[in-house]
């Protein structure tokens, strides 16, 4: 049975062949930041959907979530409950 990690290492070496170490580091940092940004926007979208489900202004709650904290916004939305 072939070692999976060895083949993965060969794949990564082949992908980054010819690139300087600095370019590889910058690419990894960029991809990491992009992933964190995607997770943040998913959390803002969850706050938006929570506001819609509770009959509250979704844009206002999404903006609050974006500028303050998505987790804090979730807690506030859970505490204030439904607007009806």
């Amino acid at each position: 049975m072939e070692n999976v990690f060895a083949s993965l290492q060969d794949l990564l070496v082949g992908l980054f062949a010819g690139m300087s170490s600095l370019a590889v580091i910058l690419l990894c940092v960029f991809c990491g930041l992009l992933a964190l940004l995607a997770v943040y926007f998913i959390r803002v979208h969850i706050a938006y959907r929570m506001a819609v489900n509770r009959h509250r202004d979704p844009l206002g709650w999404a903006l609050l979530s974006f500028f303050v904290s998505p987790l804090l916004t979730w807690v506030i939305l859970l505490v204030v409950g439904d607007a009806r």
Side-chain angles (χ1 to χ4, degrees):
M1 190 162 135
E2 184 182 348
N3 187 355
V4 176
F5 294 112
S7 61
L8 181 61
Q9 183 180 8
D10 293 338
L11 174 69
L12 291 175
V13 168
L15 283 174
F16 297 124
M19 293 178 72
S20 68
S21 296
L22 179 62
V24 172
I25 290 170
L26 289 175
L27 181 65
C28 291
V29 167
F30 175 74
C31 290
L33 289 174
L34 195 62
L36 288 174
L37 189 64
V39 167
Y40 192 77
F41 278 112
I42 289 170
R43 289 181 176 181
V44 171
H45 180 71
I46 291 171
Y48 176 87
R49 296 299 307 163
M50 286 177 70
V52 168
N53 291 339
R54 285 165 177 74
H55 305 99
R56 304 233 173 237
D57 177 34
L59 181 61
W61 285 98
L63 288 174
L64 179 70
S65 175
F66 181 79
F67 289 114
V68 178
S69 166
L71 298 176
L72 180 63
T73 307
W74 295 351
V75 171
I76 294 171
L77 278 168
L78 287 172
V79 169
V80 296
D82 200 355
R84 289 186 182 180

